[in-house]
PDB file of all heavy atoms in Angstrom:
ATOM      1  N   VAL A 233      20.418   3.348  -1.209  1.00 98.00           N
ATOM      2  CA  VAL A 233      19.020   3.725  -1.437  1.00 98.00           C
ATOM      3  C   VAL A 233      18.474   4.398  -0.177  1.00 98.00           C
ATOM      4  O   VAL A 233      18.763   3.973   0.941  1.00 98.00           O
ATOM      5  CB  VAL A 233      18.171   2.473  -1.777  1.00 98.00           C
ATOM      6  CG1 VAL A 233      16.673   2.775  -1.684  1.00 98.00           C
ATOM      7  CG2 VAL A 233      18.509   1.949  -3.176  1.00 98.00           C
ATOM      8  N   THR A 234      17.700   5.470  -0.372  1.00 98.00           N
ATOM      9  CA  THR A 234      16.901   6.012   0.735  1.00 98.00           C
ATOM     10  C   THR A 234      15.448   6.073   0.277  1.00 98.00           C
ATOM     11  O   THR A 234      15.155   6.293  -0.904  1.00 98.00           O
ATOM     12  CB  THR A 234      17.355   7.429   1.150  1.00 98.00           C
ATOM     13  OG1 THR A 234      17.320   8.283   0.001  1.00 98.00           O
ATOM     14  CG2 THR A 234      18.773   7.431   1.713  1.00 98.00           C
ATOM     15  N   LEU A 235      14.540   5.844   1.234  1.00 98.00           N
ATOM     16  CA  LEU A 235      13.115   6.077   0.990  1.00 98.00           C
ATOM     17  C   LEU A 235      12.687   7.193   1.938  1.00 98.00           C
ATOM     18  O   LEU A 235      12.893   7.091   3.142  1.00 98.00           O
ATOM     19  CB  LEU A 235      12.262   4.839   1.298  1.00 98.00           C
ATOM     20  CG  LEU A 235      12.533   3.510   0.594  1.00 98.00           C
ATOM     21  CD1 LEU A 235      11.413   2.526   0.929  1.00 98.00           C
ATOM     22  CD2 LEU A 235      12.664   3.676  -0.905  1.00 98.00           C
ATOM     23  N   GLU A 236      12.087   8.247   1.392  1.00 97.00           N
ATOM     24  CA  GLU A 236      11.558   9.320   2.232  1.00 97.00           C
ATOM     25  C   GLU A 236      10.053   9.145   2.267  1.00 97.00           C
ATOM     26  O   GLU A 236       9.379   9.303   1.249  1.00 97.00           O
ATOM     27  CB  GLU A 236      11.942  10.691   1.673  1.00 97.00           C
ATOM     28  CG  GLU A 236      11.911  11.799   2.707  1.00 97.00           C
ATOM     29  CD  GLU A 236      10.517  12.284   3.104  1.00 97.00           C
ATOM     30  OE1 GLU A 236       9.536  11.949   2.402  1.00 97.00           O
ATOM     31  OE2 GLU A 236      10.396  13.009   4.094  1.00 97.00           O
ATOM     32  N   LEU A 237       9.516   8.802   3.445  1.00 95.00           N
ATOM     33  CA  LEU A 237       8.099   8.458   3.559  1.00 95.00           C
ATOM     34  C   LEU A 237       7.344   9.453   4.427  1.00 95.00           C
ATOM     35  O   LEU A 237       6.219   9.192   4.841  1.00 95.00           O
ATOM     36  CB  LEU A 237       7.975   7.051   4.178  1.00 95.00           C
ATOM     37  CG  LEU A 237       8.792   5.936   3.503  1.00 95.00           C
ATOM     38  CD1 LEU A 237       8.663   4.641   4.289  1.00 95.00           C
ATOM     39  CD2 LEU A 237       8.334   5.730   2.072  1.00 95.00           C
ATOM     40  N   ILE A 238       7.958  10.607   4.735  1.00 93.00           N
ATOM     41  CA  ILE A 238       7.373  11.529   5.704  1.00 93.00           C
ATOM     42  C   ILE A 238       6.735  12.741   5.008  1.00 93.00           C
ATOM     43  O   ILE A 238       5.593  13.102   5.294  1.00 93.00           O
ATOM     44  CB  ILE A 238       8.450  11.991   6.713  1.00 93.00           C
ATOM     45  CG1 ILE A 238       9.021  10.769   7.455  1.00 93.00           C
ATOM     46  CG2 ILE A 238       7.878  13.000   7.711  1.00 93.00           C
ATOM     47  CD1 ILE A 238      10.320  11.034   8.182  1.00 93.00           C
ATOM     48  N   GLY A 239       7.508  13.355   4.094  1.00 93.00           N
ATOM     49  CA  GLY A 239       6.977  14.548   3.422  1.00 93.00           C
ATOM     50  C   GLY A 239       7.319  15.828   4.151  1.00 93.00           C
ATOM     51  O   GLY A 239       6.464  16.672   4.384  1.00 93.00           O
ATOM     52  N   LEU A 240       8.600  15.977   4.533  1.00 95.00           N
ATOM     53  CA  LEU A 240       9.081  17.216   5.153  1.00 95.00           C
ATOM     54  C   LEU A 240      10.360  17.649   4.429  1.00 95.00           C
ATOM     55  O   LEU A 240      11.163  16.801   4.042  1.00 95.00           O
ATOM     56  CB  LEU A 240       9.425  16.982   6.627  1.00 95.00           C
ATOM     57  CG  LEU A 240       8.274  16.784   7.602  1.00 95.00           C
ATOM     58  CD1 LEU A 240       8.819  16.425   8.986  1.00 95.00           C
ATOM     59  CD2 LEU A 240       7.427  18.055   7.680  1.00 95.00           C
ATOM     60  N   PRO A 241      10.571  18.985   4.278  1.00 97.00           N
ATOM     61  CA  PRO A 241      11.790  19.442   3.599  1.00 97.00           C
ATOM     62  C   PRO A 241      13.058  18.887   4.250  1.00 97.00           C
ATOM     63  O   PRO A 241      13.983  18.460   3.550  1.00 97.00           O
ATOM     64  CB  PRO A 241      11.721  20.971   3.743  1.00 97.00           C
ATOM     65  CG  PRO A 241      10.266  21.270   3.902  1.00 97.00           C
ATOM     66  CD  PRO A 241       9.679  20.099   4.634  1.00 97.00           C
ATOM     67  N   LEU A 242      13.106  18.855   5.588  1.00 97.00           N
ATOM     68  CA  LEU A 242      14.314  18.391   6.278  1.00 97.00           C
ATOM     69  C   LEU A 242      14.617  16.927   5.957  1.00 97.00           C
ATOM     70  O   LEU A 242      15.756  16.578   5.636  1.00 97.00           O
ATOM     71  CB  LEU A 242      14.163  18.579   7.795  1.00 97.00           C
ATOM     72  CG  LEU A 242      15.334  18.043   8.628  1.00 97.00           C
ATOM     73  CD1 LEU A 242      16.613  18.844   8.347  1.00 97.00           C
ATOM     74  CD2 LEU A 242      15.010  18.056  10.120  1.00 97.00           C
ATOM     75  N   THR A 243      13.605  16.075   6.014  1.00 97.00           N
ATOM     76  CA  THR A 243      13.863  14.643   5.806  1.00 97.00           C
ATOM     77  C   THR A 243      14.124  14.340   4.324  1.00 97.00           C
ATOM     78  O   THR A 243      14.884  13.438   4.005  1.00 97.00           O
ATOM     79  CB  THR A 243      12.701  13.793   6.348  1.00 97.00           C
ATOM     80  OG1 THR A 243      11.461  14.380   5.961  1.00 97.00           O
ATOM     81  CG2 THR A 243      12.761  13.718   7.868  1.00 97.00           C
ATOM     82  N   MET A 244      13.527  15.123   3.424  1.00 97.00           N
ATOM     83  CA  MET A 244      13.846  14.963   1.988  1.00 97.00           C
ATOM     84  C   MET A 244      15.325  15.273   1.767  1.00 97.00           C
ATOM     85  O   MET A 244      16.038  14.549   1.061  1.00 97.00           O
ATOM     86  CB  MET A 244      13.000  15.923   1.147  1.00 97.00           C
ATOM     87  CG  MET A 244      11.522  15.600   1.199  1.00 97.00           C
ATOM     88  SD  MET A 244      10.877  15.120  -0.389  1.00 97.00           S
ATOM     89  CE  MET A 244       9.245  14.546   0.042  1.00 97.00           C
TER      90      MET A 244
END
Side-chain angles (χ1 to χ4, degrees):
V233 166
T234 56
L235 303 189
E236 202 285 347
L237 308 175
I238 300 164
L240 288 174
L242 176 66
T243 44
M244 294 244 171

